Amino acid sequence: MASKSFSEEDLSCPVCCEIYKDPLVLSCSHSICKVCLQQFWESKGSRECPVCRRRSSKELPPLNLALKNLCESFSVEKIQRSSAGSEVLCSQHGEKLKLFCLEDQQLVCLVCRDSAKHRNHRFQPVDEAAVEFKVSSKIIQLWSPLQETLKIFKDNKDCKQNINNINVNHTQIQTQHTERRIKEEFQKLHQFLHDEEAARIAALREEEEQKSQMMKEKMEKMSRAISSLSDTIRAVEEEMGAEDVSFLQNHHYKVTDRTQCRLEHPERLSGALIHVEKHLENLKFTVWEKMKKIIHTPVTLNPITAHPQLVLSEDLTSVRYSDERQKLPDNPERFDYNTAVLGSEGFNSGTHCWDVDVGGNTWWRLGVMTESAGRKGKVYRRSGIWYMDYYAGKYYARSTPNPATLLNVNRKLQKIRVTLDWDGGKLSFSDAVNNTHLHTLTHTFTERVFPHFFTACILSPLKILPVKVHVSVEHQS
């Protein structure tokens, strides 16, 4: 039997350290579990032996059937040994239960075998019946997935400390960086409000100075008019005191002309007060209207999803490709094969639009991706991604995993507008420069989707352009 010739260590996979499950034999003669080998090749990106690092010439190595059968026999024996306990006696005859009745599907003793109840029945020794039932029953079918699950947990446990250290360090760096960015952004808002406050107070002071100067000029004009009027009154009084003949000779010309003087009444001096409503009317609303000029983009990038070869800008609105791979945690949300990154906010209703400056980028993809689509491995071989692609000077549109559609675009595009109509089931692409429609993908969306960005060009980044905010006012009756 297997247990007499081999130990559990001899029949254990060098990767998962568990008994082999569907072992594959490589050209270097090392055997590896099928699942372990596939995961190792996907993580390394090359077909090499996990033990000796020798490259395999075969994409799918053959199954080591002899080793598989040996492992299954060993596993059955192991289960049998672990389940062995104190002997159970027959409740009717007090004898050991050494046989198994195949017709009645129950344990029996030697006396039961010879009784009328089991006449002409077929029997098997307990150990043989147990082996057959364990192999043919659902126990093995359930046992294998449990073994695989246990392997995953053990792998996670083995890597936990290392991953934890990386995550803790990276989290601290993220916290410090994000805190600095928050302070910088609020400093910009504070500075904006401070400048706006200073400008409005300066406008108020300027109006005050203008009003004061205007009133000063009017008062000076009034003083001159009063002086002139006083002179006229004195002259008229002198005329009135002249002799009768002289008065009558001159009264029509001199006296009448002098009495024509007009003086503006002090109560008619308007414009002296400050236009308070001009400085305070809808103050918060008008300041917000100006603030929209410093509002950036409708979409920002999520750094925890970015492939290690993608570098995001400080404000998370631009992404560029780098030949150098950054040391980042391999968290479940992060792309590890395709150099892609997702937007920070997903959409499960409504219409959304964002413009991207592709500039001189020679390989990019813009679109959306479902929340449930995996981030690990070759994501474009799976369903759940809709995008427009530019590669080798040609433009394509694609809904994975279907083949791409070549677009008839005979000009170099600089800015792409992506419009998602989630409720209408449409993802449209257009030239943002002249608002020319390029292509529309249709799909009945049933879950949240995230803006998707891919680039593999080191020459030029992808930049999400600032949004144009439109403000409207509704007057309620």
Side-chain angles (χ1 to χ4, degrees):
M1 298 176 69
S3 59
K4 295 181 180 179
S5 303
F6 298 91
S7 65
E8 184 171 349
E9 183 178 358
D10 295 327
L11 301 177
S12 297
C13 171
V15 176
C16 64
C17 299
E18 299 293 336
I19 296 176
Y20 284 105
K21 175 64 177 176
D22 295 330
L24 304 179
V25 59
L26 302 177
S27 56
C28 59
S29 298
H30 289 116
S31 294
I32 311 293
C33 290
K34 181 179 180 181
V35 174
C36 296
L37 186 62
Q38 290 176 346
Q39 292 178 348
F40 182 81
W41 283 0
E42 288 180 2
S43 64
K44 294 292 292 182
S46 61
R47 297 195 298 269
E48 62 183 40
C49 175
V51 180
C52 64
R53 304 303 183 187
R54 180 178 175 181
R55 290 185 61 84
S56 173
S57 59
K58 299 180 180 179
E59 184 174 359
L60 182 61
L63 179 68
N64 192 335
L65 186 58
L67 180 58
K68 179 183 179 183
N69 294 334
L70 191 62
C71 290
E72 288 180 351
S73 299
F74 182 85
S75 299
V76 171
E77 291 177 14
K78 183 178 179 182
I79 294 174
Q80 182 179 350
R81 289 195 304 271
S82 63
S83 62
S86 59
E87 293 181 335
V88 181
L89 301 179
C90 176
S91 60
Q92 290 182 343
H93 307 108
E95 300 290 333
K96 294 180 181 180
L97 300 173
K98 294 184 176 181
L99 301 174
F100 184 79
C101 179
L102 298 177
E103 275 73 12
D104 294 333
Q105 296 287 298
Q106 66 180 36
L107 292 167
V108 297
C109 66
L110 296 177
V111 178
C112 292
R113 178 193 61 182
D114 298 331
S115 65
K117 181 180 178 181
H118 296 281
R119 184 175 299 166
N120 299 324
H121 287 185
R122 294 178 299 117
F123 301 91
Q124 267 189 321
V126 170
D127 55 350
E128 293 182 10
V131 171
E132 288 188 11
F133 272 83
K134 288 175 181 178
V135 173
S136 61
S137 68
K138 294 183 178 180
I139 295 177
I140 294 297
Q141 300 177 15
L142 297 174
W143 174 77
S144 296
L146 289 176
Q147 284 289 94
E148 295 179 3
T149 304
L150 179 61
K151 169 189 169 298
I152 294 174
F153 275 103
K154 286 188 175 181
D155 289 345
N156 288 341
K157 184 178 179 181
D158 295 338
C159 300
K160 181 178 179 181
Q161 188 60 43
N162 184 37
I163 294 175
N164 185 61
N165 292 336
I166 295 175
N167 286 342
V168 168
N169 294 334
H170 188 72
T171 301
Q172 291 175 347
I173 295 174
Q174 281 186 308
T175 302
Q176 296 172 359
H177 174 76
T178 306
E179 181 179 348
R180 177 176 60 84
R181 289 291 301 143
I182 290 174
K183 290 181 178 180
E184 289 177 355
E185 291 300 317
F186 271 96
Q187 182 60 37
K188 292 178 182 178
L189 293 175
H190 293 159
Q191 187 62 44
F192 170 82
L193 293 175
H194 176 75
D195 294 343
E196 186 65 20
E197 177 188 7
R200 289 184 171 275
I201 291 177
L204 177 63
R205 298 298 185 193
E206 182 180 0
E207 184 178 356
E208 179 191 22
E209 181 66 26
Q210 291 175 351
K211 298 295 184 181
S212 299
Q213 182 64 29
M214 180 191 70
M215 293 307 299
K216 181 180 179 181
E217 293 176 355
K218 286 190 175 184
M219 291 301 294
E220 290 177 352
K221 181 179 179 181
M222 182 180 293
S223 297
R224 291 193 297 270
I226 291 173
S227 177
S228 175
L229 181 59
S230 298
D231 292 341
T232 300
I233 291 175
R234 284 195 298 271
V236 171
E237 289 176 346
E238 291 178 356
E239 292 293 336
M240 293 288 291
E243 295 181 355
D244 295 342
V245 174
S246 176
F247 172 78
L248 293 174
Q249 287 179 337
N250 299 322
H251 84 281
H252 181 69
Y253 301 103
K254 294 182 180 181
V255 178
T256 303
D257 291 343
R258 286 174 176 151
T259 56
Q260 298 299 316
C261 174
R262 293 288 184 269
L263 180 65
E264 184 178 4
H265 196 280
E267 293 181 353
R268 297 178 181 176
L269 293 177
S270 61
L273 301 180
I274 298 293
H275 289 289
V276 177
E277 77 288 349
K278 181 178 69 175
H279 300 282
L280 294 180
E281 184 179 14
N282 292 327
L283 179 60
K284 295 178 182 178
F285 180 79
T286 53
V287 171
W288 181 81
E289 268 193 309
K290 287 189 176 182
M291 188 180 290
K292 70 184 183 183
K293 296 179 181 178
I294 63 173
I295 297 176
H296 291 294
T297 59
V299 173
T300 54
L301 304 174
N302 187 350
I304 69 172
T305 67
H307 186 276
Q309 286 182 260
L310 295 183
V311 181
L312 308 186
S313 61
E314 287 282 338
D315 60 359
L316 304 179
T317 62
S318 176
V319 54
R320 64 178 178 85
Y321 176 84
S322 173
D323 287 333
E324 184 178 353
R325 190 181 184 94
Q326 304 173 84
K327 294 182 179 179
L328 299 174
D330 187 21
N331 49 293
E333 302 87 354
R334 191 180 305 280
F335 292 93
D336 64 349
Y337 184 86
N338 298 107
T339 52
V341 61
L342 297 183
S344 58
E345 182 180 358
F347 310 115
N348 59 2
S349 64
T351 300
H352 310 272
C353 177
W354 56 94
D355 294 349
V356 182
D357 187 348
V358 296
N361 197 297
T362 57
W363 191 9
W364 51 260
R365 291 170 181 166
L366 303 174
V368 296
M369 178 177 181
T370 60
E371 189 171 19
S372 62
R375 316 280 171 81
K376 303 302 182 182
K378 300 177 181 180
V379 299
Y380 298 109
R381 292 184 178 181
R382 312 176 197 133
S383 59
I385 308 178
W386 300 263
Y387 63 86
M388 179 177 173
D389 184 19
Y390 177 68
Y391 178 68
K394 296 182 180 180
Y395 296 91
Y396 304 87
R398 186 186 180 200
S399 173
T400 62
N402 300 322
T405 300
L406 179 64
L407 303 183
N408 184 20
V409 180
N410 54 12
R411 62 186 183 280
K412 183 69 168 62
L413 302 176
Q414 296 293 321
K415 298 177 182 178
I416 305 298
R417 175 165 298 151
V418 183
T419 304
L420 169 67
D421 181 1
W422 194 96
D423 300 306
K426 296 179 180 180
L427 181 68
S428 301
F429 304 94
S430 57
D431 185 348
V433 175
N434 53 22
N435 200 26
T436 302
H437 176 261
L438 300 172
H439 191 77
T440 296
L441 295 171
T442 58
H443 178 77
T444 301
F445 298 106
T446 57
E447 61 177 299
R448 185 184 302 273
V449 296
F450 289 81
H452 180 86
F453 305 84
F454 165 92
T455 178
C457 171
I458 200 171
L459 300 177
S460 178
L462 301 178
K463 299 178 181 179
I464 306 172
L465 299 176
V467 66
K468 294 181 179 179
V469 180
H470 300 281
V471 181
S472 61
V473 180
E474 291 186 2
H475 298 281
Q476 297 183 350
S477 57

PDB file of all heavy atoms in Angstrom, residues 165-178:
ATOM      1  N   ASN A 165       3.562  43.776   6.430  1.00  0.00           N
ATOM      2  CA  ASN A 165       4.608  44.795   6.558  1.00  0.00           C
ATOM      3  C   ASN A 165       4.589  45.760   5.384  1.00  0.00           C
ATOM      4  O   ASN A 165       4.714  46.971   5.552  1.00  0.00           O
ATOM      5  CB  ASN A 165       5.979  44.119   6.654  1.00  0.00           C
ATOM      6  CG  ASN A 165       6.139  43.346   7.949  1.00  0.00           C
ATOM      7  OD1 ASN A 165       5.471  43.630   8.939  1.00  0.00           O
ATOM      8  ND2 ASN A 165       7.013  42.348   7.948  1.00  0.00           N
ATOM      9  N   ILE A 166       4.414  45.197   4.161  1.00  0.00           N
ATOM     10  CA  ILE A 166       4.372  46.049   2.977  1.00  0.00           C
ATOM     11  C   ILE A 166       3.169  46.975   3.035  1.00  0.00           C
ATOM     12  O   ILE A 166       3.271  48.181   2.776  1.00  0.00           O
ATOM     13  CB  ILE A 166       4.325  45.181   1.698  1.00  0.00           C
ATOM     14  CG1 ILE A 166       5.621  44.380   1.556  1.00  0.00           C
ATOM     15  CG2 ILE A 166       4.105  46.056   0.469  1.00  0.00           C
ATOM     16  CD1 ILE A 166       5.597  43.417   0.390  1.00  0.00           C
ATOM     17  N   ASN A 167       2.006  46.402   3.395  1.00  0.00           N
ATOM     18  CA  ASN A 167       0.787  47.209   3.442  1.00  0.00           C
ATOM     19  C   ASN A 167       0.869  48.301   4.489  1.00  0.00           C
ATOM     20  O   ASN A 167       0.414  49.422   4.278  1.00  0.00           O
ATOM     21  CB  ASN A 167      -0.419  46.316   3.720  1.00  0.00           C
ATOM     22  CG  ASN A 167      -0.810  45.481   2.510  1.00  0.00           C
ATOM     23  OD1 ASN A 167      -0.408  45.792   1.396  1.00  0.00           O
ATOM     24  ND2 ASN A 167      -1.564  44.430   2.725  1.00  0.00           N
ATOM     25  N   VAL A 168       1.426  47.964   5.665  1.00  0.00           N
ATOM     26  CA  VAL A 168       1.541  48.966   6.729  1.00  0.00           C
ATOM     27  C   VAL A 168       2.421  50.117   6.284  1.00  0.00           C
ATOM     28  O   VAL A 168       2.073  51.298   6.438  1.00  0.00           O
ATOM     29  CB  VAL A 168       2.094  48.320   8.018  1.00  0.00           C
ATOM     30  CG1 VAL A 168       2.485  49.383   9.022  1.00  0.00           C
ATOM     31  CG2 VAL A 168       1.053  47.392   8.622  1.00  0.00           C
ATOM     32  N   ASN A 169       3.584  49.791   5.707  1.00  0.00           N
ATOM     33  CA  ASN A 169       4.481  50.850   5.239  1.00  0.00           C
ATOM     34  C   ASN A 169       3.828  51.680   4.139  1.00  0.00           C
ATOM     35  O   ASN A 169       3.914  52.916   4.151  1.00  0.00           O
ATOM     36  CB  ASN A 169       5.791  50.236   4.723  1.00  0.00           C
ATOM     37  CG  ASN A 169       6.584  49.576   5.837  1.00  0.00           C
ATOM     38  OD1 ASN A 169       6.455  49.944   6.999  1.00  0.00           O
ATOM     39  ND2 ASN A 169       7.398  48.592   5.493  1.00  0.00           N
ATOM     40  N   HIS A 170       3.190  50.992   3.192  1.00  0.00           N
ATOM     41  CA  HIS A 170       2.560  51.720   2.092  1.00  0.00           C
ATOM     42  C   HIS A 170       1.385  52.554   2.587  1.00  0.00           C
ATOM     43  O   HIS A 170       1.161  53.678   2.121  1.00  0.00           O
ATOM     44  CB  HIS A 170       2.088  50.741   1.025  1.00  0.00           C
ATOM     45  CG  HIS A 170       1.611  51.399  -0.229  1.00  0.00           C
ATOM     46  ND1 HIS A 170       2.465  52.014  -1.131  1.00  0.00           N
ATOM     47  CD2 HIS A 170       0.362  51.588  -0.729  1.00  0.00           C
ATOM     48  CE1 HIS A 170       1.773  52.511  -2.117  1.00  0.00           C
ATOM     49  NE2 HIS A 170       0.487  52.275  -1.897  1.00  0.00           N
ATOM     50  N   THR A 171       0.633  52.018   3.553  1.00  0.00           N
ATOM     51  CA  THR A 171      -0.489  52.768   4.109  1.00  0.00           C
ATOM     52  C   THR A 171      -0.015  54.030   4.804  1.00  0.00           C
ATOM     53  O   THR A 171      -0.637  55.091   4.695  1.00  0.00           O
ATOM     54  CB  THR A 171      -1.276  51.879   5.093  1.00  0.00           C
ATOM     55  OG1 THR A 171      -1.738  50.720   4.408  1.00  0.00           O
ATOM     56  CG2 THR A 171      -2.466  52.630   5.671  1.00  0.00           C
ATOM     57  N   GLN A 172       1.090  53.923   5.531  1.00  0.00           N
ATOM     58  CA  GLN A 172       1.644  55.111   6.195  1.00  0.00           C
ATOM     59  C   GLN A 172       2.055  56.161   5.167  1.00  0.00           C
ATOM     60  O   GLN A 172       1.785  57.362   5.347  1.00  0.00           O
ATOM     61  CB  GLN A 172       2.832  54.710   7.061  1.00  0.00           C
ATOM     62  CG  GLN A 172       2.451  53.874   8.278  1.00  0.00           C
ATOM     63  CD  GLN A 172       3.664  53.399   9.053  1.00  0.00           C
ATOM     64  OE1 GLN A 172       4.802  53.476   8.565  1.00  0.00           O
ATOM     65  NE2 GLN A 172       3.435  52.891  10.259  1.00  0.00           N
ATOM     66  N   ILE A 173       2.698  55.695   4.092  1.00  0.00           N
ATOM     67  CA  ILE A 173       3.107  56.630   3.040  1.00  0.00           C
ATOM     68  C   ILE A 173       1.873  57.266   2.393  1.00  0.00           C
ATOM     69  O   ILE A 173       1.837  58.481   2.149  1.00  0.00           O
ATOM     70  CB  ILE A 173       3.961  55.904   1.982  1.00  0.00           C
ATOM     71  CG1 ILE A 173       5.269  55.423   2.605  1.00  0.00           C
ATOM     72  CG2 ILE A 173       4.232  56.816   0.789  1.00  0.00           C
ATOM     73  CD1 ILE A 173       6.105  54.559   1.671  1.00  0.00           C
ATOM     74  N   GLN A 174       0.849  56.431   2.114  1.00  0.00           N
ATOM     75  CA  GLN A 174      -0.391  56.959   1.540  1.00  0.00           C
ATOM     76  C   GLN A 174      -1.032  57.996   2.445  1.00  0.00           C
ATOM     77  O   GLN A 174      -1.494  59.043   1.981  1.00  0.00           O
ATOM     78  CB  GLN A 174      -1.374  55.815   1.296  1.00  0.00           C
ATOM     79  CG  GLN A 174      -1.116  55.001   0.052  1.00  0.00           C
ATOM     80  CD  GLN A 174      -2.225  53.996  -0.170  1.00  0.00           C
ATOM     81  OE1 GLN A 174      -2.571  53.227   0.724  1.00  0.00           O
ATOM     82  NE2 GLN A 174      -2.809  53.994  -1.354  1.00  0.00           N
ATOM     83  N   THR A 175      -1.072  57.706   3.742  1.00  0.00           N
ATOM     84  CA  THR A 175      -1.686  58.636   4.696  1.00  0.00           C
ATOM     85  C   THR A 175      -0.962  59.966   4.708  1.00  0.00           C
ATOM     86  O   THR A 175      -1.585  61.038   4.655  1.00  0.00           O
ATOM     87  CB  THR A 175      -1.684  58.013   6.102  1.00  0.00           C
ATOM     88  OG1 THR A 175      -2.397  56.776   6.077  1.00  0.00           O
ATOM     89  CG2 THR A 175      -2.338  58.952   7.102  1.00  0.00           C
ATOM     90  N   GLN A 176       0.369  59.924   4.782  1.00  0.00           N
ATOM     91  CA  GLN A 176       1.155  61.158   4.801  1.00  0.00           C
ATOM     92  C   GLN A 176       0.973  61.956   3.511  1.00  0.00           C
ATOM     93  O   GLN A 176       0.780  63.175   3.534  1.00  0.00           O
ATOM     94  CB  GLN A 176       2.631  60.822   5.025  1.00  0.00           C
ATOM     95  CG  GLN A 176       2.918  60.186   6.381  1.00  0.00           C
ATOM     96  CD  GLN A 176       4.342  59.681   6.493  1.00  0.00           C
ATOM     97  OE1 GLN A 176       5.141  59.786   5.542  1.00  0.00           O
ATOM     98  NE2 GLN A 176       4.685  59.107   7.638  1.00  0.00           N
ATOM     99  N   HIS A 177       1.030  61.227   2.390  1.00  0.00           N
ATOM    100  CA  HIS A 177       0.886  61.900   1.094  1.00  0.00           C
ATOM    101  C   HIS A 177      -0.509  62.507   0.942  1.00  0.00           C
ATOM    102  O   HIS A 177      -0.658  63.657   0.511  1.00  0.00           O
ATOM    103  CB  HIS A 177       1.142  60.899  -0.028  1.00  0.00           C
ATOM    104  CG  HIS A 177       0.893  61.438  -1.396  1.00  0.00           C
ATOM    105  ND1 HIS A 177       1.760  62.304  -2.034  1.00  0.00           N
ATOM    106  CD2 HIS A 177      -0.157  61.260  -2.253  1.00  0.00           C
ATOM    107  CE1 HIS A 177       1.273  62.617  -3.213  1.00  0.00           C
ATOM    108  NE2 HIS A 177       0.114  62.003  -3.382  1.00  0.00           N
ATOM    109  N   THR A 178      -1.536  61.721   1.312  1.00  0.00           N
ATOM    110  CA  THR A 178      -2.907  62.212   1.168  1.00  0.00           C
ATOM    111  C   THR A 178      -3.170  63.386   2.102  1.00  0.00           C
ATOM    112  O   THR A 178      -3.851  64.346   1.720  1.00  0.00           O
ATOM    113  CB  THR A 178      -3.905  61.075   1.464  1.00  0.00           C
ATOM    114  OG1 THR A 178      -3.591  59.954   0.628  1.00  0.00           O
ATOM    115  CG2 THR A 178      -5.324  61.518   1.192  1.00  0.00           C
TER     116      THR A 178
END
